[in-house]
Amino acid sequence: MRNFVVVELGAGFGRWSLETVLLAKRLGITARAICVEAEPSHVDFLRDAFLEMGVPDEQLRLVEAAI
């Protein structure tokens, strides 16, 4: 099984991480995303967006911190 991890620093709304995880899923690759974002409202949006797109919690790690 192939695995892939994407790390997005200053993730904002996590557009690149979400697209990467969804593309990997279509290609049959297990992917995880690690998103670092300082703005609390963006962190909440990220969590909701990943869940709405069917990405399970174990494939997403959110870190609320400034870089």
Side-chain angles (χ1 to χ4, degrees), residues 10-34:
F13 293 105
R15 172 179 39 191
W16 298 110
S17 296
L18 183 56
E19 289 293 330
T20 301
V21 170
L22 294 175
L23 176 61
K25 183 178 180 179
R26 281 184 263 161
L27 295 173
I29 301 169
T30 301
R32 293 182 52 224
I34 301 170

Side-chain angles (χ1 to χ4, degrees), residues 1-66:
M1 178 180 282
R2 300 184 309 177
N3 295 299
F4 186 81
V5 177
V6 59
V7 178
E8 189 170 5
L9 304 176
F13 293 105
R15 172 179 39 191
W16 298 110
S17 296
L18 183 56
E19 289 293 330
T20 301
V21 170
L22 294 175
L23 176 61
K25 183 178 180 179
R26 281 184 263 161
L27 295 173
I29 301 169
T30 301
R32 293 182 52 224
I34 301 170
C35 298
V36 180
E37 175 55 46
E39 176 59 43
S41 63
H42 291 185
V43 172
D44 292 338
F45 176 87
L46 274 163
R47 184 176 294 109
D48 293 342
F50 273 76
L51 287 175
E52 286 178 18
M53 296 303 291
V55 178
D57 282 338
E58 57 270 3
Q59 285 183 262
L60 174 64
R61 178 165 181 212
L62 291 175
V63 179
E64 189 175 330

